[in-house]
Amino acid sequence: YVQFAEGPLLDGLYWNEWPNSTVSTLSSNYSHILYENLLLGVVRIRQLKVRNNTCSVHSSFLTFLHDCYSEYRYRAEDRSDFGLGSESEWKYTPASKISPWYWGSVGFYSSGGFMFTLPKSKQQSLKKLEFLRQNSWLSRGTRVVFIDFSTYNANINLFCIIRLVVEFPATGGALTSSHIYSVKLLRYVTTYDYFLAFCEIVFCLFIVTFIIHEVIQIVKLKKDYFRSAWNWLELVLLAVSIVAIAFNIYRTLKVSQLMEKLLSDDRVYPDFYFLAYWQVLYNDMIAINVFFAWIKIFKYVTINKTMTQLSATLSRCARDIIGFAFMFFIIFFAYAQLGYLVFESQVEDFSTFPNCIFTQFRIVLGDFNFEAIKAANRILGPIYFITFVFFVFFILM
Amino acid sequence: YVQFAEGPLLDGLYWNEWPNSTVSTLSSNYSHILYENLLLGVVRIRQLKVRNNTCSVHSSFLTFLHDCYSEYRYRAEDRSDFGLGSESEWKYTPASKISPWYWGSVGFYSSGGFMFTLPKSKQQSLKKLEFLRQNSWLSRGTRVVFIDFSTYNANINLFCIIRLVVEFPATGGALTSSHIYSVKLLRYVTTYDYFLAFCEIVFCLFIVTFIIHEVIQIVKLKKDYFRSAWNWLELVLLAVSIVAIAFNIYRTLKVSQLMEKLLSDDRVYPDFYFLAYWQVLYNDMIAINVFFAWIKIFKYVTINKTMTQLSATLSRCARDIIGFAFMFFIIFFAYAQLGYLVFESQVEDFSTFPNCIFTQFRIVLGDFNFEAIKAANRILGPIYFITFVFFVFFILM
Amino acid sequence: YVQFAEGPLLDGLYWNEWPNSTVSTLSSNYSHILYENLLLGVVRIRQLKVRNNTCSVHSSFLTFLHDCYSEYRYRAEDRSDFGLGSESEWKYTPASKISPWYWGSVGFYSSGGFMFTLPKSKQQSLKKLEFLRQNSWLSRGTRVVFIDFSTYNANINLFCIIRLVVEFPATGGALTSSHIYSVKLLRYVTTYDYFLAFCEIVFCLFIVTFIIHEVIQIVKLKKDYFRSAWNWLELVLLAVSIVAIAFNIYRTLKVSQLMEKLLSDDRVYPDFYFLAYWQVLYNDMIAINVFFAWIKIFKYVTINKTMTQLSATLSRCARDIIGFAFMFFIIFFAYAQLGYLVFESQVEDFSTFPNCIFTQFRIVLGDFNFEAIKAANRILGPIYFITFVFFVFFILM
Amino acid sequence: YVQFAEGPLLDGLYWNEWPNSTVSTLSSNYSHILYENLLLGVVRIRQLKVRNNTCSVHSSFLTFLHDCYSEYRYRAEDRSDFGLGSESEWKYTPASKISPWYWGSVGFYSSGGFMFTLPKSKQQSLKKLEFLRQNSWLSRGTRVVFIDFSTYNANINLFCIIRLVVEFPATGGALTSSHIYSVKLLRYVTTYDYFLAFCEIVFCLFIVTFIIHEVIQIVKLKKDYFRSAWNWLELVLLAVSIVAIAFNIYRTLKVSQLMEKLLSDDRVYPDFYFLAYWQVLYNDMIAINVFFAWIKIFKYVTINKTMTQLSATLSRCARDIIGFAFMFFIIFFAYAQLGYLVFESQVEDFSTFPNCIFTQFRIVLGDFNFEAIKAANRILGPIYFITFVFFVFFILM
């Protein structure tokens, strides 16, 4: 909770955190020979800083405290050069427009920053890091450090894009986390992949015919077409499919482009993170698409008698259910508000308002930590818990 | 469970427990220069003792046992001076009237005691602690030791008031715990804070007009006014709001007063614990206020048809429900009583009667430790558990 | 799972296990002077053995294996003297009739055995244990070792009777466990205790008048009296109360007798374990008594209209409910049987048939370990789990 | 997640993993004298490899990566001799037809491979392993190593067949697991066993008469016989019983045969694993048989009035229930699909499609890991969770 962190200390932490990376750095030199996983290009390290005096110190403390570095916000970012030299590690590199921001545990970071790449050999890497440490590359204003690298496993044809993150919140201390994307960027390698490629082409053709079909229907029915929720669903499915196809083509091109660059010069950091990010987003999109496709099945089974009966019953008592749900949610949010205000600073599960809502859902399902609630507030904790359970179970159910 | 603790041993424990504090003591010397968090003033250590012979020893043991120190109770407290010198650590300092008592895991402690502050430098602190240990400041009568200090983080403008507690129950052994309050005592620093201050003033004005409105209504309706539960709710809300405003003003004054004192002499222990305690209480009060404000929404939606219907149904079967609830609670308490008597000394969750009630609620929700119940009593444990589950699920639901 | 244990190894284990006891042995020498807890008398160590060839070895293994020591059973117990000397540690001491058997995790042990007490000083204790080890007091036939001692805490007037157990199952290896009873054997010490004593006397008088009342009723109503379940309940309550009073008197006498013996010679092992055992049983009895007293409340509220209505409804549909419950339990036991046979040797929770039943109850309540079930049997595990959940939730509820 | 493993490193891992086996190897020399558990015969080590170039490397990586070893598949298995000598460790031994394949955590392995046995003495074992390590017996193509041995405990007459497995997935790294079967292969040792044997004979006679009875019924009723589900159940029970009896006889013969071989030469590895595997399968079969026998009870209680009533009600609303269940499962599978696509690579519980289904069942029962879901996808995770819970609890129940 309360860890003290200062300039030199940060470096210590930084070094402690390093080992699991140095191991891989070590291995990277011989990666062409023996390892199952091949390190692609080099490791890139990037930091983001905030400006001094980005927060206001109360007048009575001004004699003690001269500096004040706020939390990371885009506006408070320190973009000025510092330290020695004019190399990229001392100069701010602005973020490229398309690269995604990173959502850390205490902030939402831009993709620019002070960045440099580690050389290929282990000794040189250590020397470089030592040099940066002596010249205090990490300062009190540093808010986050990213360590990015990618590996490729030929056996199973998967890229692994790894990002190690060390966040330095304004309260002091350091939070380490890691982000690993395992994605298949190089498609069309084995026979099975070519079969998949064939399926994709068939799918494209199917989408084209489907679009024509829908366009005809729209022309025919005009406004009536847009009244049915099923048709809207179909349009959404189509749109997502088209975007997916477009991304698929773009991804293939981009990867081959990056690969070419990497093959010509292996001292360059290949920005696969950016591609992996979009690949994951693309997967999510596909997932939602498939989910709605499942729901579409209902369109064709509605003729079923049981269904009609059920939906009729539902629509008849819809009014009551809505009134009831309205009432339920007023009380539910009242409790969430109460939990938020009382337990906010003590219990992890109540630290933000959405978390409170999730926590209350989990209480309903029987997954909760009563001890923590009780420890946070000996009187209000149990009262909150028991009245909430009573409310949910005994009145509404 | 059964740990042996004696005078010299306690000191050992005390020293073991110390490190996480000495680290911060160490840092406190340079706190003006480099750290994110500033240690305010100095660290204060306080102990509470009980008198000898505060419990009665059975006649047959009198030959073995001459001393007897009971659990901490206000009456049994030892307030006489002891040891050497007349400094505050050997003299009892009575509790100030307004400072809150501390609710530890084995007792409810007054805020007086034998207290002293640690000097600013680390070496002197160690020397002082060593000196106290040699003169056995901690004796067999010691029941609790508090270590209080506060830090301030300028970056996010939060005070952190920390209390480390070592309790020595009458059974021997030592229980350590900590209590951390993170509160924002210095308000009105940034622009956003000034905006909040403006909102608060608007709120005060609103409360004033509301009071006038209610007073007029009371004069008009007289006794009828107090018959409606909604009006009572409104009065409670008003009262809490007024208290909140009053505390807010008091807090602001008190903090600035403490800050001034601290700025003039930084070897003084600033009693922020007291303020933080009230601040947390104030937050809880506000939370409950907001909760009731949410409930008030129902007053305005009762016109809704569904509601009226629902409340009508509820009031009609209220008699049955009450009879049922009455029956339920008799059996529920019978089980709680049974669980308390059988598992009291073996299972943590059943150690007090309220805990039994909470534990039974948690069993209903599916959060329980069957292994512990079974280990405590191989025959009654499972019988208690299964009949209770049967009773709750199969008969009443 | 598969630990190898042999004669000399056992001693090693035994010594590893010892420290938490030697610490207390060490402290026992000075216990009269400084400690919060007083060791009463001396520590007693007791072992139980089984005879060789108590199990039959298959003919094909007879060339390899000459000895065979079965699990502990009363019949297989080895009661013959062994080793050197004729002291109690080499001679079998038969169990006294009233001392309770001990229910360990792999057996149910008699209270006899080869026992000896440790001397008061630490050095002599070590020497004695060393001597026993060299003469292999623990042999392959040893099945369990008990280490018993008691402490008394004068501050809170509680006895703590501790039994450390090392079991050596027939499969090899060693299982350590401990059994702690915290009981208040010396009553009537403080003023509050005397008040309780007064209450007890009042309770006795009340019981006497109650008995007279019931006897009169029995004489009056004769056979009709025994037809009402309420009257049976009352008789049971009375019987338990009388037993409780009798035990209370016996306990008080026995404790003072033991104390006297202990005061006259402190090298004797005081058998408080026996008393503590009955005290705990007595507490359980009282707990059940109080539970039934709660249930008795219903006798007086049955006049209540709601109750009558409810019980009428219940008795009318009792036939259906019984049929239903019958069906439920057939399937429930079929599943328990299945779970027992399939998961018996792999999952702890299914190791015995009663455990299977408890585990199934816990599954219904949402407390289960799906991973373990799945690991035990990749195909039957999930099938068992999902069909069981379906059966319970979707068909019967 | 991403561990790098290469030839020499594997050996290191292999040695680290070894100790818990060497301990038993050590003990095996003296096993005839002192231990509770007897090591039967010798330890066998077996590995499976895959051929080089069993997977296709993308053209752009061909300059870096020359070798490519895919995941273990039967087709990709490397069966050619390698290394030095013509001993069994360098030569492929084909799998015997009846020995079961092993279902590891990343593959399904055949029972052939490169195998050798360790000599009886510890020093020779170490020497042999050292020799293999220097000649790199484990290569990059190695996918799994099995270490098999069996022990016998005469005290409780149980065989313990142990298989330690080290899997080397294509991604690099190593996964260790163990598989232990405790089975009673030698039956008919004690008097109680002979009693069981008698019961088995009675059971066989009973089965014979039952078969005759059923045959008569089939002849009598002809086609009508096969219309009743009860009769089908009976036939299945009969079939399983006959298979069980047959296996029982085979097992007894096989064990005695193996024992003989072992007794004549104790340097041979006895393949008890194979027997234990079938024994466990046999137990499962028996378990299912008994389960259906329980269900058969219903056949005889259907006359009961309540049952008929219940089954009548059920059959009447069966149509609705089926329609409802159909709808439920469409949505359920839609969610499972969504969960699978979104969380596949991040959350263990969603790693395969069947796992998704199990996880969703567990969510319904209240056993879930919300944190993991949220960490995997900050936006879709909670949406998935809350809409799923709503769907299950509020619409369908």
Side-chain angles (χ1 to χ4, degrees), chain B residues 56 64 69 171 327 374 377, chain C residues 155-156 190 263 284 298 355:
Chain B
S56 37
F64 302 101
Y69 301 89
T171 49
M327 215 176 106
K374 204 182 149 196
N377 200 317
Chain C
N155 292 0
I156 50 170
T190 65
L263 291 175
D284 291 353
F298 278 112
N355 269 4

Side-chain angles (χ1 to χ4, degrees), chain B residues 316-317 319-324 326-327, chain C residues 298-314 316:
Chain B
R316 218 174 305 143
C317 61
R319 216 194 118 87
D320 278 12
I321 285 176
I322 288 167
F324 193 70
F326 181 68
M327 215 176 106
Chain C
F298 278 112
K299 191 185 167 183
Y300 304 106
V301 293
T302 327
I303 326 121
N304 189 315
K305 198 179 137 204
T306 320
M307 294 294 132
T308 359
Q309 203 176 310
L310 193 89
S311 59
T313 319
L314 274 177
R316 218 174 305 144

Side-chain angles (χ1 to χ4, degrees), chain A residues 12-50:
Chain A
L13 257 163
Y14 183 52
W15 277 99
N16 292 337
E17 193 271 338
W18 197 231
N20 77 68
S21 181
T22 39
V23 170
S24 65
T25 313
L26 179 145
S27 62
S28 68
N29 297 305
Y30 311 107
S31 59
H32 310 292
I33 311 166
L34 278 167
Y35 288 77
E36 303 286 353
N37 298 295
L38 177 72
L39 191 85
L40 296 173
V42 291
V43 175
R44 192 182 67 180
I45 297 174
R46 180 163 70 86
Q47 79 161 330
L48 289 173
K49 300 171 69 179
V50 291

Side-chain angles (χ1 to χ4, degrees), chain C residues 56 64 69 171 327 374 377, chain D residues 155-156 190 263 284 298 355:
Chain C
S56 37
F64 302 101
Y69 300 89
T171 49
M327 215 176 107
K374 204 181 148 197
N377 199 319
Chain D
N155 292 359
I156 49 170
T190 65
L263 290 175
D284 291 354
F298 278 112
N355 270 3

Side-chain angles (χ1 to χ4, degrees), chain A residues 209-222 225:
Chain A
T209 57
F210 209 72
I211 289 170
I212 294 162
H213 175 80
E214 291 291 310
V215 166
I216 290 167
Q217 277 220 317
I218 290 172
V219 170
K220 229 195 272 172
L221 299 168
K222 276 161 198 171
Y225 179 84

